[in-house]
Amino acid sequence: MADLDPRNSTSADYEQFEVELLAQDRDVASVATADVDDATARNLVSELVDADVVTPIPENQVLVHEPSDTAFDSTTQLAVFHRGWTAGHDANEEDE
């Protein structure tokens, strides 16, 4: 490989630009879960119950996320899990 003059090389700039673009793509594709407060979680879980995605089990005081068959005793944990599960499920569909 020929010696490159570091003052004339733009390869480092291009590589840095590509790294920044990839980071932006990951940021866009990621799901924000830190913004799930109690009210947002209750609303989402209520919608999921209405859509038969979540089944409440009153005697055990848990909520079962039917697609994954995972039980939760916290609406916030369920809401965060469902957001992540949905994002992962959607990403898998895009890869197919």
Side-chain angles (χ1 to χ4, degrees):
M1 181 173 171
D3 290 333
L4 296 176
D5 182 356
R7 291 170 285 180
N8 291 332
S9 176
T10 59
S11 63
D13 293 338
Y14 176 76
E15 289 172 7
Q16 180 61 32
F17 178 69
E18 187 174 331
V19 167
E20 289 174 13
L21 287 178
L22 289 171
Q24 289 173 6
D25 288 346
R26 278 192 301 267
D27 289 344
V28 169
S30 68
V31 175
T33 57
D35 63 346
V36 178
D37 59 14
D38 288 337
T40 303
R42 282 191 301 272
N43 288 336
L44 176 60
V45 170
S46 178
E47 291 172 9
L48 293 173
V49 168
D50 291 343
D52 294 327
V53 174
V54 170
T55 303
I57 312 290
E59 58 271 5
N60 296 343
Q61 296 181 343
V62 296
L63 300 161
V64 177
H65 185 256
E66 294 297 338
S68 66
D69 199 33
T70 306
F72 295 89
D73 60 0
S74 163
T75 56
T76 303
Q77 288 175 348
L78 174 57
V80 170
F81 174 83
H82 181 73
R83 282 187 172 185
W85 181 87
T86 301
H89 186 72
D90 292 346
N92 287 340
E93 286 182 359
E94 288 176 9
D95 290 342
E96 293 176 358

